[in-house]
Amino acid sequence: MPHESLEHLVKRAVVEALRGIPVPVWERIAPKDVIGLVYHTVSDDDLPHLKLYDYKNRAQFESDVVHARGNAVGYDDVANHRHRWTRMPANSVLFTFDDGLTECFHVIRPILRRHSVPAIFFVNTNFLDDRETFFETTLSLCLGRIETIDEKRAEDILAALVPNPVDPTRPTGSAELGRNRLRDARARIPPSHVHQRLALWLLGFEEDGRGEIDQAWKLLGPDVAAGPSRRTCMTTAEVKQLAAEGFVIGSHGETHLPMQRLDARALEERIVSSCETVRGLSGQKRVPFAFPYTGLGIDRGILADILRRNPFIDLLFDTQDLTRDAEFMVHRICADRPPVDGGGATNLPLLMRTAWSRRSAWYRARK
Ligand SMILES: [Zn+2]
């Protein structure tokens, strides 16, 4: 047997063995102060404007809540513990929700209240009251149209959007991002070359490709006035009510721009101004902030300085499972993915075991 494949087999066996370790064992051998969970939405309906994320139905989400409620803590518990003011039981669970979608209020809130489970809702301040549409919403609607159009129509639209030969001054998105998104999207794009190319081209754009995405939507959905036909994000009044009921409101940015693109000054301006808006809305003394997508690669020293200058922002949230990081950073496991069998049982133990089996959960290279 060649050397490499033996190595590969051993590695795979190790990964499998680590993944098989039950949560109670991990809790003992590699305890965490807090296990953050991040969801985006929960719904029993097919949401045409949310094709880029998985989500659980009510029963599945309620099973998660029931499973974790005994260990659930609130934001203040975690913040006070991280500041070393109070102690908290190891392996506590913190529920969080990103993007401020309307289901947070109408579906998630009643379930959390029924079980007295605290949570943080991270909102994008410009998206409240649907004042601005998240570009991923428009992207999802475009995908829904691409699913239904015939090849000739797809070809015409592609020709209108992507001039041939491609104009070098015209910005184009990332091919890799497009491929990754298409792989994960809940969309049935016809297998034809032209349908696939159109979907891939569109999915390669981010917030700064708004112009292209809007133009595509005009061509794909000309009979629809503008954007989605239903409310997508929470209203300001709903956010205020969540805060009045004891939930914590955090900022997820003004829009959903990846913050890696910003220099230190712009980064600080964006974090602080969106957190100030949330402070005004919620009446909270302190406001947590969760990075759109991820805070990976953003200098922790720069972030520490921002927090020192703006003490009302106390903890930052990221999405790298159980990764060890700076004291002010709380990582979270994405819990959106429903159980593979589609049933109503919780898959949190599996998600936690998988997160704990990653080297980053218990290993930190010495600097
Ligand atoms: Zn987000």
Side-chain angles (χ1 to χ4, degrees):
M1 190 181 283
H3 230 65
E4 252 182 21
S5 96
L6 179 65
E7 231 181 84
H8 188 78
L9 277 174
V10 171
K11 260 189 195 156
R12 211 171 53 192
V14 170
V15 168
E16 283 304 311
L18 285 172
R19 254 188 225 157
I21 297 176
V23 170
V25 175
W26 279 121
E27 285 178 341
R28 270 207 317 278
I29 60 175
K32 302 282 151 196
D33 61 342
V34 64
I35 300 163
L37 300 177
V38 57
Y39 297 81
H40 290 84
T41 195
V42 171
S43 180
D44 288 343
D45 302 333
D46 177 48
L47 302 175
H49 59 285
L50 277 174
K51 284 184 178 287
L52 303 189
Y53 293 115
D54 275 327
Y55 52 86
K56 287 175 171 162
N57 62 30
R58 278 186 165 88
Q60 291 160 343
F61 174 66
E62 190 152 14
S63 296
D64 287 0
V65 171
V66 168
H67 175 81
R69 67 185 167 188
N71 299 320
V73 289
Y75 176 66
D76 287 346
D77 297 315
V78 179
N80 293 341
H81 174 80
R82 288 282 175 111
H83 292 310
R84 300 181 196 286
W85 297 331
T86 55
R87 290 173 70 87
M88 193 177 70
N91 307 305
S92 297
V93 175
L94 177 60
F95 280 85
T96 73
F97 303 86
D98 283 6
D99 297 5
L101 298 166
T102 184
E103 294 80 20
C104 287
F105 188 82
H106 296 284
V107 180
I108 293 166
R109 166 183 159 271
I111 295 174
L112 293 173
R113 278 169 65 85
R114 192 148 60 234
H115 298 282
S116 305
V117 167
I120 312 175
F121 293 93
F122 289 102
V123 302
N124 300 89
T125 54
N126 286 8
F127 301 161
L128 294 178
D129 304 299
D130 283 348
R131 268 201 332 271
E132 206 177 292
T133 311
F134 185 12
F135 77 94
E136 287 189 8
T137 301
T138 315
L139 268 185
S140 297
L141 295 172
C142 286
L143 285 188
R145 284 307 168 103
I146 297 173
E147 284 174 354
T148 62
I149 57 176
D150 64 24
E151 209 169 323
K152 172 78 179 70
R153 178 99 192 275
E155 203 166 336
D156 292 345
I157 290 173
L158 190 63
L161 288 170
V162 193
N164 200 9
V166 176
D167 174 359
T169 61
R170 193 187 165 89
T172 52
S174 147
E176 194 195 345
L177 178 66
R179 276 194 302 275
N180 291 342
R181 276 192 180 139
L182 189 59
R183 189 194 58 217
D184 297 336
R186 293 177 304 102
R188 288 197 195 125
I189 303 299
S192 90
H193 176 69
V194 58
H195 282 94
Q196 293 285 321
R197 252 193 85 198
L198 179 56
L200 276 172
W201 183 80
L202 262 175
L203 289 172
F205 288 108
E206 292 192 74
E207 192 169 300
D208 42 14
R210 183 86 246 187
E212 275 81 0
I213 297 165
D214 284 345
Q215 195 192 348
W217 178 238
K218 260 186 217 143
L219 293 169
L220 283 159
D223 48 329
V224 183
S229 55
R230 59 199 286 173
R231 180 169 280 289
T232 64
C233 288
M234 286 192 281
T235 64
T236 304
E238 287 166 349
V239 171
K240 285 183 174 171
Q241 190 176 329
L242 285 174
E245 289 171 351
F247 292 108
V248 168
I249 311 301
S251 164
H252 195 38
E254 285 158 336
T255 65
H256 210 279
L257 185 79
M259 300 245 156
Q260 286 79 354
R261 308 242 176 117
L262 306 172
D263 61 29
R265 203 170 146 172
L267 177 71
E268 179 159 356
E269 274 170 16
R270 293 272 189 140
I271 292 177
V272 173
S273 72
S274 66
C275 286
E276 271 169 353
T277 305
V278 168
R279 179 165 60 172
L281 266 177
S282 64
Q284 291 163 196
K285 286 200 178 69
R286 51 194 196 187
V287 177
F289 179 87
F291 288 94
Y293 304 109
T294 168
L296 210 66
I298 299 178
D299 187 279
R300 286 352 190 200
I302 291 175
L303 293 175
D305 287 342
I306 294 175
L307 299 190
R308 206 169 304 125
R309 281 192 287 271
N310 302 279
F312 80 102
I313 307 170
D314 52 0
L315 292 187
L316 304 178
F317 286 74
D318 202 344
T319 48
Q320 303 297 309
D321 292 338
L322 295 171
T323 298
R324 299 176 60 176
D325 205 319
E327 274 293 294
F328 55 76
M329 191 68 78
V330 180
H331 282 280
R332 299 169 295 166
I333 299 169
C334 182
D336 281 329
R337 186 164 297 207
V340 274
D341 65 2
T346 181
N347 63 356
L348 280 186
L350 171 70
L351 296 175
M352 288 184 190
R353 261 182 7 233
T354 306
W356 245 308
S357 72
R358 300 210 167 100
R359 199 166 176 256
S360 56
W362 32 267
Y363 180 86
R364 181 154 57 185
R366 286 169 70 182
K367 283 186 185 150

